[in-house]
Amino acid sequence: MKNAEFNSLMRRVSNGDMTAMVPVYEEFYKKLQIVAIRILKNKVAAEDAASQTITDLIQDALNGKVKSVKYVSGYLCTRCRNIALKIKEHNKIFVELDDDEEVEAPDLIESVIGNADLTRAIVKLKDIEKEIGLMFYVYGYKIREISQELNMSEGTVKWQISNIKEKISKYFT
C-alpha cells in the first residue's frame, strides 16, 4: 500500500467512514501478528496486540492524530511492537510456541530486542533505511517487492541494503 493511499484512507476514517479500514486491515494484520508473535511467543497474545494496533489506529484517525504517514509498514509495525512490549511487560508472558505452530518470520526480531549495539545502529539509520531494512530483513520482502512498494528502482534498493549492512556492521567490529 502506498503512503498516499494509506493517508487517504485515514482521512476517510477521520470523517467516520470505517469501511476505509478494510484494505488497511487486509494488508497489514498478518504482518502485525508476526511482529507481535516474535516478541510475545504466544499466538493469542499476538492477535491481541495486532488487534489493539488496528483499534488504536482507528481511534487516532478519528481524533485527527493520523495526518501524514511517510512509511506505512514501519509506522504500523512500530506501533504493534510497542503494544506487544507493553503486553509482555504487563503480563510477563514467557509462554513458548507449541511445536505445531508455525511462525513465518526470520529470527532477526528476536535478536534485535535487548541488543543495545544493534539498537544504537538502527536508531542512527535514516527513515528510508529503517523502512527498507524492516521490509528486507524482518518481513523477508524481495528486492523487487521493496522496489515496487516504495516506488524505487531495484538498483537503489540494493544500494540502500548495502549501506544498511555497512552502517550496522561498524557497531560490531
Side-chain angles (χ1 to χ4, degrees):
M1 175 175 297
K2 303 280 188 224
N3 300 331
E5 180 184 358
F6 176 82
N7 290 323
S8 172
L9 292 170
M10 290 301 100
R11 280 191 293 280
R12 286 177 46 201
V13 170
S14 71
N15 292 326
D17 180 5
M18 291 302 131
T19 61
M21 279 305 297
V22 173
V24 175
Y25 176 87
E26 288 174 346
E27 182 163 342
F28 292 105
Y29 186 76
K30 189 68 174 170
K31 291 177 187 177
L32 298 175
Q33 282 183 302
I34 291 170
V35 168
I37 205 165
R38 300 304 292 167
I39 295 168
L40 298 169
K41 310 276 192 253
N42 181 289
K43 191 173 185 177
V44 173
E47 289 171 356
D48 289 345
S51 295
Q52 187 64 48
T53 302
I54 297 294
T55 303
D56 289 355
L57 178 65
I58 292 169
Q59 191 61 45
D60 286 350
L62 287 170
N63 292 330
K65 294 180 182 176
V66 182
K67 301 216 187 290
S68 179
V69 176
K70 281 178 91 172
Y71 305 107
V72 178
S73 183
Y75 171 75
L76 292 175
C77 290
T78 299
R79 287 184 75 142
C80 186
R81 177 188 166 274
N82 292 341
I83 289 169
L85 289 172
K86 285 179 185 175
I87 290 171
K88 183 175 181 177
E89 180 61 31
H90 184 265
N91 296 325
K92 300 294 183 195
I93 296 173
F94 295 107
V95 178
E96 292 296 323
L97 289 171
D98 295 335
D99 289 338
D100 61 340
E101 290 182 299
E102 291 183 22
V103 177
E104 300 171 7
D107 290 331
L108 181 65
I109 295 174
E110 222 172 63
S111 64
V112 168
I113 298 169
N115 186 326
D117 289 334
L118 186 54
T119 302
R120 276 193 293 278
I122 291 170
V123 166
K124 296 206 181 255
L125 293 174
K126 296 175 187 171
D127 286 342
I128 189 67
E129 292 170 332
K130 289 177 192 172
E131 178 72 5
I132 290 171
L134 184 69
M135 293 173 81
F136 186 75
Y137 292 110
V138 177
Y139 298 117
Y141 278 55
K142 293 177 176 41
I143 290 172
R144 178 182 27 69
E145 294 169 330
I146 297 170
S147 166
Q148 291 170 347
E149 181 78 20
L150 299 179
N151 198 24
M152 298 179 160
S153 72
E154 289 183 28
T156 301
V157 172
K158 287 178 188 177
W159 177 76
Q160 289 283 3
I161 290 170
S162 175
N163 284 344
I164 293 165
K165 286 180 191 175
E166 184 179 324
K167 288 178 180 182
I168 289 178
S169 68
K170 288 178 183 177
Y171 285 83
F172 297 97
T173 56

